[in-house]
Amino acid sequence: DIQMTQSPASLSASLGETVTIECRASEDIYNGLAWYQQKPGKSPQLLIYNANSLHTGVPSRFSGSGSGTQYSLKINSLQSEDVASYFCQQYYNYPLTFGSGTKLEIK
Amino acid sequence: EVQLVESGEGLVQPGSSMKLSCVASGFTFSNYGMNWIRQAPKKGLEWIALIYYDSSSKYYADSVKGRFTISRDNSKNTLYLEMNSLRSEDTAMYYCAKSAYYGYNYFDYWGQGVMVTVSS
């Protein structure tokens, strides 16, 4: 199974700041990586797919990058509505696996 | 507008069975793979099962293999999850989610989720 190691587990940042969340795969996943946002009490929502493609309707302050085993999600100009948990997911191979999540709070 | 609506929520005893349903609308259901993903209270996400658009292939996480069965009825736009031999560790919110494209199993739409509690 491909293990997804996500960091940090939690993050506190100020409004307007830029934050970065990392995800490392245990083997090359060839850009088969997605990022999701889950607001408290809600279902997850797709942000990024194919490592760096923005899903329809997602604000451009979200961006994804990376290749091989190392990937990251960047949020520019942090807004209050970005308070959420963020998860990465690899879909290169079965079983499909998620990172353990990053909880983002506003300082 | 894509909608996925799960049902079948409840409290069951360990060792018992339960069936979840997910009714889809707003897209051509028969063209897409579908998934079940769960989230234990205050925990992360765990993918548990996928079924191809035509039911020709099914994949399961090891944690549920042999106990859970994913199925679909394309004539009813409905996805199912039959859960047997339920354990306390199966307690979770269960989401159905649509695969984006054939061969690209990221989840572009999710349902609201249903809570399954396994407890005596």
Side-chain angles (χ1 to χ4, degrees):
Chain A
D1 297 5
I2 298 175
Q3 309 303 318
M4 303 301 295
T5 302
Q6 188 172 338
S7 61
S10 62
L11 186 52
S12 183
S14 302
L15 293 175
E17 259 192 65
T18 294
V19 299
T20 300
I21 298 168
E22 309 278 346
C23 210
R24 185 181 79 249
S26 59
E27 60 185 82
D28 196 331
I29 56 172
Y30 299 94
N31 283 15
L33 185 101
W35 290 97
Y36 302 89
Q37 176 193 63
Q38 185 177 30
K39 295 184 178 181
K42 300 292 187 182
S43 311
Q45 293 193 310
L46 177 66
L47 295 174
I48 302 284
Y49 61 96
N50 293 351
N52 55 24
S53 297
L54 204 63
H55 183 52
T56 308
V58 175
S60 58
R61 64 178 182 276
F62 291 90
S63 63
S65 63
S67 63
T69 62
Q70 301 274 5
Y71 298 87
S72 60
L73 171 70
K74 188 163 78 170
I75 310 172
N76 289 317
S77 303
L78 196 64
Q79 308 286 305
S80 57
E81 60 262 33
D82 299 334
V83 168
S85 291
Y86 294 84
F87 297 89
C88 62
Q89 177 235 336
Q90 68 80 20
Y91 50 93
Y92 174 69
N93 207 351
Y94 297 110
L96 310 176
T97 47
F98 290 91
S100 52
T102 295
K103 188 173 183 179
L104 175 60
E105 297 175 334
I106 302 296
K107 207 181 283 183
Chain B
E1 180 198 2
V2 172
Q3 283 199 313
L4 299 169
V5 180
E6 301 97 335
S7 61
E9 180 169 288
L11 167 65
V12 294
Q13 293 195 331
S16 62
S17 299
M18 193 171 187
K19 189 171 185 176
L20 305 181
S21 301
C22 170
V23 176
S25 61
F27 66 103
T28 305
F29 181 73
S30 57
N31 285 355
Y32 293 93
M34 294 294 296
N35 302 265
W36 289 99
I37 296 151
R38 68 185 180 184
Q39 186 172 33
K42 306 291 187 187
K43 298 292 185 183
L45 299 166
E46 180 189 18
W47 168 84
I48 56 172
L50 174 149
I51 185 169
Y52 276 16
Y53 68 99
D54 59 356
S55 301
S56 59
S57 288
K58 303 175 185 181
Y59 296 90
Y60 297 93
D62 285 347
S63 58
V64 305
K65 202 175 292 182
R67 299 187 301 124
F68 290 13
T69 302
I70 189 172
S71 62
R72 65 191 296 162
D73 184 337
N74 286 345
S75 68
K76 295 181 179 178
N77 285 359
T78 303
L79 175 73
Y80 302 102
L81 184 68
E82 180 103 46
M83 303 183 290
N84 297 320
S85 304
L86 282 161
R87 306 167 180 166
S88 58
E89 54 264 38
D90 295 319
T91 294
M93 183 72 80
Y94 284 73
Y95 298 99
C96 70
K98 171 185 168 292
S99 283
Y101 299 102
Y102 181 78
Y104 289 82
N105 292 304
Y106 59 90
F107 316 115
D108 55 356
Y109 294 96
W110 298 62
Q112 85 285 357
V114 287
M115 188 67 201
V116 172
T117 304
V118 184
S119 175
S120 53

